[in-house]
């Protein structure tokens, strides 16, 4: 009978350390925890009562969905925040007439910034990108049978930079606050202009 010989497969000296490294890397991997951000609302603020029967919201702005625009990638979409503003702060209390809240701009654009070079770059933390937000809307009011028309408009802009060494969650946190503050800027300007230009259309108490 033929005799079976035991064959030993030679083990390269680097296989064991490489295997340990692979196991270490696998053990260190963990899924990024998903952060759920609250919806920005304004129902804690006084309601602006208009002497109209209805209020329509028209989203005139259309995001191009490509760079430099990034509003569609943010944890808080500016257009959504502006719709919530109109729903929470404006109220129709009349029997006739119509008001239209038109979102003209709800954009956020990101521009990469030039990084430092040479020895100085080793000791400085560069700002990697600049974000520019613009929120613009117009509130048009028309009473029954066209007896009266008026409008108030507002635009708010805000800018911030983002450092290069920032985690995705920290970046999203910062951009959420960025859009939140821009919407608050818009709120202050629009309320002031409604008081200035649409006072005759506000419900009297």
């Amino acid at each position: 009978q033929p005799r079976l010989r035991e064959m030993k497969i030679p083990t390269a000296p680097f296989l064991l350390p490489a295997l340990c490294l692979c196991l270490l890397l696998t053990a260190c991997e963990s899924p990024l925890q998903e952060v759920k951000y609250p919806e920005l609302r304004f129902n804690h603020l006084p309601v602006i009562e208009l002497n109209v029967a209805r209020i329509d919201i028209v989203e005139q702005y259309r995001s191009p969905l490509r760079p430099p625009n990034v509003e569609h990638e943010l944890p808080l979409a500016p257009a959504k925040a502006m719709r919530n503003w109109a729903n929470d702060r404006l109220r129709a209390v009349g029997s006739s007439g119509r008001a239209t809240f038109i979102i003209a701009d709800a954009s956020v654009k990101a521009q990469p910034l030039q990084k430092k070079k040479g020895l100085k770059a080793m000791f400085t933390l560069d700002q990697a990108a600049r974000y520019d937000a613009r929120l613009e809307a117009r509130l048009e009011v028309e009473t029954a049978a066209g007896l009266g028309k008026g409008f108030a408009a507002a635009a708010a802009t805000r800018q911030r930079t983002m450092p290069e060494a920032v985690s995705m969650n920290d970046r999203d946190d910062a951009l959420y606050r960025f859009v939140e503050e821009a919407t608050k800027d818009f709120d202050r300007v629009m309320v002031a202009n409604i008081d200035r230009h649409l006072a005759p259309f506000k419900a009297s108490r």
Side-chain angles (χ1 to χ4, degrees), residues 38-48 80-91 176 180 183-184 187 191:
E39 190 172 355
L40 183 61
R41 308 299 308 205
F42 296 85
N43 44 21
H44 61 287
L45 299 175
V47 172
I48 301 171
K80 175 64 174 176
M82 296 173 76
R83 287 197 303 270
N84 288 347
W85 181 91
N87 283 320
D88 292 341
R89 297 226 60 185
L90 304 177
R91 182 171 300 168
Y176 179 92
E180 180 184 35
T183 311
K184 290 179 179 179
D187 170 72
V191 171

Side-chain angles (χ1 to χ4, degrees), residues 93-162:
V93 296
S95 57
S96 61
R98 182 180 70 174
T100 306
F101 181 76
I102 304 169
I103 301 174
D105 199 347
S107 62
V108 178
K109 297 179 180 179
Q111 298 289 348
L113 298 177
Q114 188 174 5
K115 298 181 181 180
K116 297 181 180 68
K117 297 180 181 180
L119 185 62
K120 190 175 183 180
M122 299 175 61
F123 302 97
T124 58
L125 181 62
D126 279 336
Q127 298 297 306
R130 188 189 73 230
Y131 291 83
D132 296 281
R134 180 174 178 83
L135 281 62
E136 182 180 356
R138 177 182 174 102
L139 179 62
E140 298 179 352
V141 179
E142 182 177 358
T143 57
L147 295 178
K149 294 182 180 181
F151 75 90
T157 59
R158 187 169 274 258
Q159 183 182 100
R160 73 152 296 158
T161 57
M162 194 72 63

